[in-house]
Amino acid sequence: MSPSLTWGAPERRPRRSRVLFSRVVGALAWVLAGGIAIAVYTNVIVDDSDLRLRTEALARETARCGDGCHITSTQIRRTVLEYRADFELDGSESVRVICRRDAIAFGPHRCTSRTSE
């Protein structure tokens, strides 16, 4: 015999709304975790050599020195939200290039640059 029959208490069943709610919350949590994983992969883990070449060219263009100037140091910071590269160019000001996607994990990078003062 079941313990509920022994003590005389009716057997409780979970309400359908609670079960549905927990399944919806669980599905949304999995979708959110998957989206974060895709964003980390596309923005942080994937090879960035093409984007690095584009940012170097944009830094040289911003410094107005063309291919003649030499990059003395580079600091790159990759996060889920942006790609930031700080360049020190020989005989010029330092240049910061920031690249972001229209959607966090999808679409091409749009880059802007400015010189540091």
Side-chain angles (χ1 to χ4, degrees), residues 41-57:
Y41 178 75
T42 58
N43 293 328
V44 180
I45 297 173
V46 170
D47 181 30
D48 67 336
S49 57
D50 292 338
L51 185 58
R52 187 177 301 222
L53 292 174
R54 282 181 39 208
T55 57
E56 286 179 7

Side-chain angles (χ1 to χ4, degrees), residues 95-117:
V95 177
R96 173 173 283 173
V97 179
I98 298 174
C99 299
R100 293 188 178 117
R101 294 180 189 262
D102 292 334
I104 292 175
F106 304 104
H109 283 93
R110 307 225 186 268
C111 300
T112 59
S113 64
R114 63 185 168 105
T115 58
S116 301
E117 299 173 7

Side-chain angles (χ1 to χ4, degrees), residues 9-111:
E11 189 174 330
R12 294 183 122 187
R13 292 185 192 170
R15 293 183 184 169
R16 288 185 188 246
S17 62
R18 286 185 185 174
V19 172
L20 179 63
F21 178 74
S22 66
R23 286 186 180 173
V24 168
V25 168
L28 289 175
W30 278 105
V31 168
L32 180 64
I36 291 170
I38 289 170
V40 168
Y41 178 75
T42 58
N43 293 328
V44 180
I45 297 173
V46 170
D47 181 30
D48 67 336
S49 57
D50 292 338
L51 185 58
R52 187 177 301 222
L53 292 174
R54 282 181 39 208
T55 57
E56 286 179 7
L58 185 58
R60 285 187 169 110
E61 179 183 318
T62 302
R64 296 185 181 123
C65 63
D67 292 331
C69 63
H70 178 71
I71 296 175
T72 57
S73 72
T74 304
Q75 292 181 349
I76 295 176
R77 180 176 173 218
R78 295 174 70 180
T79 66
V80 174
L81 300 176
E82 71 181 10
Y83 180 95
R84 180 183 302 172
D86 294 319
F87 296 98
E88 294 289 331
L89 292 117
D90 199 20
S92 180
E93 300 173 333
S94 60
V95 177
R96 173 173 283 173
V97 179
I98 298 174
C99 299
R100 293 188 178 117
R101 294 180 189 262
D102 292 334
I104 292 175
F106 304 104
H109 283 93
R110 307 225 186 268
C111 300

